[in-house]
């Protein structure tokens, strides 16, 4: 393609804003219920069209009506090398427009930010990937290894209709993939005007979502009653919600805290890591959740009439376990809950942890430093979970690397599933430049 022909197309740093805006305007709310979840098919068709438009051949794999995933492979120059999986989900959590400063599906640009549900979780990365590979196709760039692109459904509800569906029903799509990058990593934490840490996800906690079921004797609400299912459940839920599990510092978290302590010049007491974490500002909430198992009550259900004591009551608990501690967490919870309340697992997916080394990590670090000389890449553990849990079951080494340079005063962690979710436009463009460098050299 001639340079004049290429000039007719937008630069990837410009196109990424358009692509992200378009994706944000497609409501892909995942309620956890197929009957009420929307938009994933429309988003998948949009992505497939953008890939097809530049000569990439995508395939849409639908796991249930409307629950659609897109997969494509870009051949590299060295077929003997393992392929790299680049994955991002298209679904988002619900958003109440009355709580937002802008409509959550407007894709509005305001004050240097692109606003909308999914702006950082994770349609920003989806748009970055599309912008980079579209530019490659127009300019004749070939990566050094095969790149497998996967845009998935249902990540926000456990990935049953997305990544897990693909890895169980279409495993051959990932033949040869040895490593993967996905969400919630490569974002910046400002130390001072000339230095930024970039947190690369090398570990993530396990998902242990529970439903508790209490049974009692039904009766009239006006009577004395000593076998009330709601009372028994409420007491158990309160014990869980107030409990703090013991501190356990994993290899990843220890490495992160040592790096941070050195850069910030703060003392790290191995027996009291919370003292150092408390000085991390906006990211303390994420890091603080990675030094212990956690269990947070999220839903309650009981009863059918105001003056009837119900015979059953249930609660949902969002538990997250450290690597290797899922069974320990179950025992800890059983002690808190007591013997008379039943435990049902809604989701149980293992924690992940890999080392912060190797050629792929070196390529991430080099790409970040090339665009930001003040960058210092560090490993960290994500307190949540991602589609990496499904892909790791195929033996793929998974990282979180969706690069963003963020304003020093932005509370990034609060935007995940929060109101007024937004991504800085210049951060989005920075991510495109870093991702382009990384994928050309990895």
């Amino acid at each position: 393609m001639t340079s004049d022909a290429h000039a007719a197309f937008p630069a990837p740093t410009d196109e990424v804003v358009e692509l992200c805006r378009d994706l944000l305007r497609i409501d892909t709310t995942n309620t956890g219920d197929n009957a009420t979840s929307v938009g994933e098919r429309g988003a998948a068709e949009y992505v497939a069209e953008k890939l097809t438009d530049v000569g990439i051949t995508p395939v849409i794999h639908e796991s249930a009506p409307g629950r659609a995933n897109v997969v494509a492979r870009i051949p590299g120059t060295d077929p003997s090398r393992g392929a790299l999986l680049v994955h991002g989900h298209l679904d988002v959590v619900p958003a109440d427009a009355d709580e937002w400063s802008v409509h959550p599906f407007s894709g509005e640009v305001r004050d240097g930010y692109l606003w909308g549900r999914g702006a950082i979780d994770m349609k920003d990365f989806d748009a970055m990937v599309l912008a980079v590979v579209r530019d490659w196709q127009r300019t004749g760039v070939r990566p050094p290894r095969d790149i497998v692109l996967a845009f998935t459904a249902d990540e926000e509800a456990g990935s049953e209709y997305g990544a897990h569906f693909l890895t169980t029903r279409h495993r051959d799509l990932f033949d040869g993939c040895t490593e993967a990058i996905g969400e919630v990593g490569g974002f910046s934490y400002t130390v001072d005007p000339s230095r930024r840490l970039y947190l690369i996800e090398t570990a993530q906690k396990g998902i242990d979502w529970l439903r508790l079921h209490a049974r009692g004797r039904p009766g009239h609400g006006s009577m004395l009653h000593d076998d009330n299912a709601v009372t028994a459940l409420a007491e158990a839920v309160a014990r869980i919600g107030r409990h703090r599990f013991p501190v356990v510092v994993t290899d990843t978290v220890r490495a992160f805290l040592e790096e941070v302590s050195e850069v910030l010049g703060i003392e790290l007491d191995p027996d009291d890591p919370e003292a150092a974490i408390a000085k991390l500002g906006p990211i303390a909430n994420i890091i603080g959740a990675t030094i212990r198992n956690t269990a947070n009550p999220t839903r309650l259900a009981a009863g059918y009439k105001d003056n009837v004591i119900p015979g059953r009551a249930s609660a949902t608990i969002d538990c997250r376990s450290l690597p290797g501690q899922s069974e320990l967490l179950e025992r800890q919870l059983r002690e808190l809950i007591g013997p008379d309340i039943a435990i049902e697992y809604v989701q149980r997916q293992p924690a992940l942890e890999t080392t912060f080394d190797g050629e792929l990590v070196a390529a991430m670090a080099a790409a970040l430093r090339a665009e930001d000389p003040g960058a210092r890449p560090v490993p960290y553990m994500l307190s949540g979970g991602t589609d990496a849990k499904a892909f790791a079951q195929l033996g793929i080494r998974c990282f979180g690397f969706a690069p963003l340079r963020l304003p020093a005063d932005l509370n990034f962690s609060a935007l995940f599933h929060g109101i007024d979710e937004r991504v800085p436009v210049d951060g989005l463009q920075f991510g495109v430049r870093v991702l382009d460098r990384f994928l050309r050299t990895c």
Side-chain angles (χ1 to χ4, degrees), residues 77-92:
T77 57
D78 185 356
S80 68
R81 293 189 59 194
L84 176 71
L85 171 62
V86 180
H87 61 93
H89 64 86
L90 295 170
D91 61 320
V92 299

Side-chain angles (χ1 to χ4, degrees), residues 353-429:
E353 189 166 28
T354 188
T355 54
F356 189 61
D357 56 18
E359 293 181 0
L360 195 75
V361 171
M364 294 177 194
L368 286 167
R369 293 189 182 111
E371 293 297 333
D372 181 0
R376 179 165 177 167
V378 297
Y380 93 107
M381 178 184 291
L382 177 65
S383 59
T386 73
D387 279 340
K389 294 190 183 304
F391 298 122
Q393 292 177 4
L394 301 182
I396 298 172
R397 188 182 182 208
C398 296
F399 295 87
F401 187 66
L404 283 174
R405 179 168 171 172
L406 302 169
D409 60 350
L410 180 66
N411 189 347
F412 184 60
S413 65
L415 298 178
F416 284 85
H417 299 188
I419 61 171
D420 287 344
E421 184 179 349
R422 61 198 183 275
V423 63
V425 171
D426 57 359
L428 194 62
Q429 294 170 327

Side-chain angles (χ1 to χ4, degrees), residues 1 4 25 34 41 125 133 157 163 195 222 227 255 273 287 297 326 337 342 378:
M1 183 177 291
D4 288 343
R25 290 176 176 174
N34 282 0
R41 177 80 196 195
F125 185 63
V133 299
R195 294 183 300 166
S222 67
D227 188 20
I287 305 303
S326 180
I337 293 165
V378 297

Side-chain angles (χ1 to χ4, degrees), residues 53-334:
D53 182 54
V54 292
I56 298 172
T57 304
V59 178
I60 293 179
H61 299 271
E62 199 170 57
S63 53
R67 314 306 300 270
N69 305 272
V70 184
V71 181
R73 185 179 287 254
I74 301 173
T77 57
D78 185 356
S80 68
R81 293 189 59 194
L84 176 71
L85 171 62
V86 180
H87 61 93
H89 64 86
L90 295 170
D91 61 320
V92 299
V93 296
D96 182 349
D98 292 337
E99 298 176 334
W100 284 56
S101 301
V102 304
H103 193 281
F105 300 106
S106 66
E108 181 176 335
V109 176
R110 178 193 292 188
D111 301 328
Y113 288 85
L114 182 56
W115 299 61
R117 175 59 88 218
I120 53 99
D121 187 15
M122 59 172 302
K123 291 179 176 179
D124 59 335
F125 185 63
D126 296 331
M128 288 183 212
V129 173
L130 286 174
V132 169
V133 299
R134 280 168 62 82
D135 186 63
W136 282 3
Q137 292 295 111
R138 291 165 176 160
T139 57
V141 173
R142 288 187 64 194
R145 61 200 291 194
D146 282 11
I147 304 290
V148 176
L149 307 176
F151 299 87
T152 62
D154 197 35
E155 190 275 344
E156 297 292 2
S159 308
E160 177 184 354
Y161 296 97
H164 283 295
F165 165 77
L166 291 174
T167 56
T168 56
R169 298 285 296 277
H170 299 280
R171 184 172 182 147
D172 59 301
L173 295 170
F174 308 103
D175 284 350
C177 289
T178 56
E179 296 161 310
I181 61 167
E183 64 178 323
V184 205
F187 59 91
S188 67
Y189 167 78
T190 299
V191 177
D192 55 46
S194 63
R195 294 183 300 166
R196 277 155 296 282
L197 300 178
Y198 283 85
L199 282 63
I200 295 175
E201 182 206 314
T202 59
Q204 57 181 245
K205 295 177 79 175
I207 297 175
D208 303 82
W209 293 346
L210 307 178
R211 195 158 289 138
L212 307 184
H213 301 283
R215 291 185 176 273
R217 187 178 70 254
H220 199 288
S222 67
M223 304 289 184
L224 293 174
H225 203 90
D226 59 1
D227 188 20
N228 189 316
V230 174
T231 302
L233 181 75
E235 290 172 343
V237 167
R239 288 194 295 272
I240 292 171
R242 295 193 182 102
H243 186 72
R244 290 297 174 266
F245 294 89
V247 170
V248 177
V249 180
T250 63
D251 291 344
T252 296
V253 174
R254 181 178 294 104
F256 171 81
L257 291 175
E258 288 173 351
E259 292 267 9
V260 167
S261 298
E262 178 184 336
V263 170
L264 297 183
I266 58 178
E267 184 177 352
L268 174 61
D269 181 353
D271 297 322
D272 184 21
E274 290 175 294
I277 291 171
K279 300 176 181 179
L280 298 181
I283 63 169
N285 202 31
I286 292 180
I287 305 303
T290 64
I291 60 171
R292 53 167 48 94
N293 296 325
T294 58
N296 285 306
T298 56
R299 300 179 72 178
L300 293 168
Y304 50 86
K305 197 172 186 297
D306 292 348
N307 62 349
V308 176
I309 296 171
R312 296 186 300 273
S314 65
T316 303
I317 314 293
D318 184 345
C319 305
R320 308 293 173 130
S321 56
L322 293 169
Q325 295 214 0
S326 180
E327 292 182 0
L328 172 61
L329 176 58
E330 183 177 1
R331 294 195 297 272
Q332 292 170 329
L333 287 168
R334 174 48 72 194

